Amino acid sequence: MEERLSRRVRTIRPSATMSVDSKTKQLIAKGQPVINMSVGEPDFQTPVPAAFAGIRAITNGQTRYTEAAGMLALRKAIAHKLQTENGLHYAPEQIVVSNGAKHTLYNIFVAILDEGDEVILPAPYWTSYPEQIRVAGGKPVVIECGPETGFKLTADQLAAAITPRTKAVLLNSPCNPTGSVYHEEELQALGEVLRQHDIYVVLDEIYERLAYGVKHVSLVAACPDLYDRALVVNGFSKAFAMTGWRLGYVAAPLDLAKAMASFQSHSTGSPATMSQIAGETALAHFDPGVIDVFRRRRDALVAGLNSLEGVRCLVPEGAFYAFPDVRGVFGRRYEGQAIESSADYCELLLEHALVASVPGEAFGAPGYVRFSYAVRDEDVIEAVNRMREFHSKLTN
């Protein structure tokens, strides 16, 4: 029956993170005490004022359609946030609010890509990027960025990757899955290359509030002259623990913002009204204390991972993921089962240690594993203890 499906749908690969999360939740439903470190979802609650704003919206009858681009009040609040917190100046008309940052990114690719256009994509990358680019008719040009550069794209790599078909480059900072953060001088070096080429820069900054010991800087702030080519993506899921509210946005040049709003008006229409009202309130209620909590969990997890034989992990500067290199255990066995890939490692770790993680293959980085530390402190400690026991049973 597959031939009845469109070619674009047949080529989509399932989301590895969602697949692992689904399997994990099935085990939990069966009573298994799995520690789920596979999904990027904060364990905090939505800020109470935002939650009540959403409830009041429902009970007050604010349940109708809004403008396709989102409520003007919310877009004004986002414009204010961008100016006061990030030094970026956008009018409300340049902002499009969507059903999550994932939806926002798809709108972007549909708006800027024609068949065969190339998008430079540093790897490791978030698992949905290449699929969205392909569905929109584009071609992801994957550039491997290893630990020697902190998993970050260099100016030399960018210059070498640009071709006449290049339409955009995508930068994710802080990065999912590595936690890498581009520093201002690194962004300025990339900007020097970008000035020589007429291409878009898609900036996924969904984790921008979650940086530890470093300051997040947007490329638009570091290189203001690239403003007319930049699309700044953000949302409410990570910093405000609003994953289920489905609310994201982009700030873009006016012509692109209008194009994306028009496309959205024919695809999904406006985001849920009550989510937008909750989001407007949330912007004024970020709890900076979550940064200290995530930093504490990060330090405990990374120290634990680096105590395991055959595992090496850089200290991430942002987001809430650790991304260790597990190639040191390849060729070893657990109860006779060989570990030949990070996928093998994750499968055995889930089956025998009941710790869920995502193999690096999903992020364009075989040999690595992503662990989310958006779980309780005690779960981080217990996960490390289980992994130590797991590793103690590995044989040659």
Side-chain angles (χ1 to χ4, degrees), residues 205-225:
E205 302 183 352
I206 187 70
Y207 296 95
E208 53 107 7
R209 292 179 185 261
L210 304 178
Y212 317 112
V214 296
K215 178 178 172 57
H216 169 267
V217 178
S218 177
L219 183 136
V220 183
C223 306
D225 54 311

Side-chain angles (χ1 to χ4, degrees), residues 314-330:
L314 296 182
V315 178
E317 292 184 323
F320 39 65
Y321 307 104
F323 200 61
D325 181 346
V326 299
R327 289 174 293 182
V329 301
F330 287 5

Side-chain angles (χ1 to χ4, degrees), residues 237-254:
S237 292
K238 310 303 181 180
F240 299 102
M242 295 178 69
T243 50
W245 295 82
R246 306 313 304 139
L247 202 63
Y249 60 88
V250 62
L254 184 58

Side-chain angles (χ1 to χ4, degrees), residues 43-44 179 181 207-216 286-304 314-322 372-377 380-381:
D43 62 314
F44 302 110
V181 177
Y207 296 95
E208 53 107 7
R209 292 179 185 261
L210 304 178
Y212 317 112
V214 296
K215 178 178 172 57
H216 169 267
F286 173 67
D287 179 7
V290 304
I291 297 174
D292 292 330
V293 173
F294 280 135
R295 181 191 290 114
R296 182 174 67 242
R297 295 171 179 176
R298 176 202 66 175
D299 292 345
L301 178 59
V302 171
L314 296 182
V315 178
E317 292 184 323
F320 39 65
Y321 307 104
S372 168
Y373 49 87
V375 296
R376 299 177 305 170
D377 290 51
V380 172
I381 294 169

